[in-house]
């Protein structure tokens, strides 16, 4: 089964990249692990890793969409069906 990624999710990926950079910088300044901050802030010590996985998955999905659209131009819509 194929899962669909809401368009808004792709738009928010930039925010995820930014928060990871902010988190890493904070942890370096504070001398603590990102998992500690995530656990204390959200109760989920694996949040950072999960955000990174989501970003990687979204990037992969976007690349697959682009490959498909490049291989199946809109002018030849029958090939996409």
């Amino acid at each position: 089964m194929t899962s669909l990624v809401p368009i808004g999710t792709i738009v928010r990926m930039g925010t995820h990249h930014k928060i990871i950079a902010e988190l890493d910088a904070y942890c370096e300044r504070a001398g603590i692990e990102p998992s500690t901050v995530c656990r204390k802030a959200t109760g989920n010590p694996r949040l950072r890793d999960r955000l990174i996985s989501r970003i990687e998955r979204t990037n992969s999905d976007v690349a697959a969409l682009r490959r498909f659209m490049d291989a199946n131009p809109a002018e030849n819509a029958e090939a996409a069906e």
Side-chain angles (χ1 to χ4, degrees), residues 7-78:
I7 291 172
T9 302
I10 295 169
V11 172
R12 288 190 296 253
M13 285 298 111
T15 303
H16 290 160
H17 285 286
K18 184 177 177 187
I19 193 61
I20 290 168
E22 290 176 30
L23 174 62
D24 289 348
Y26 173 85
C27 290
E28 188 171 321
R29 286 190 314 271
I32 57 177
E33 293 294 320
S35 60
T36 301
V37 175
C38 291
R39 181 179 45 80
K40 288 183 175 185
T42 69
N44 181 356
R46 294 183 301 264
L47 179 60
R48 180 183 177 278
D49 294 336
R50 289 180 178 168
L51 285 174
I52 291 170
S53 292
R54 277 187 223 154
I55 291 167
E56 290 170 353
R57 176 57 196 232
T58 298
N59 289 341
S60 174
D61 289 343
V62 168
L65 288 169
R66 287 185 175 140
R67 281 191 306 274
F68 178 86
M69 290 185 290
D70 287 345
N72 300 280
E75 298 78 28
N76 191 7
E78 291 177 11

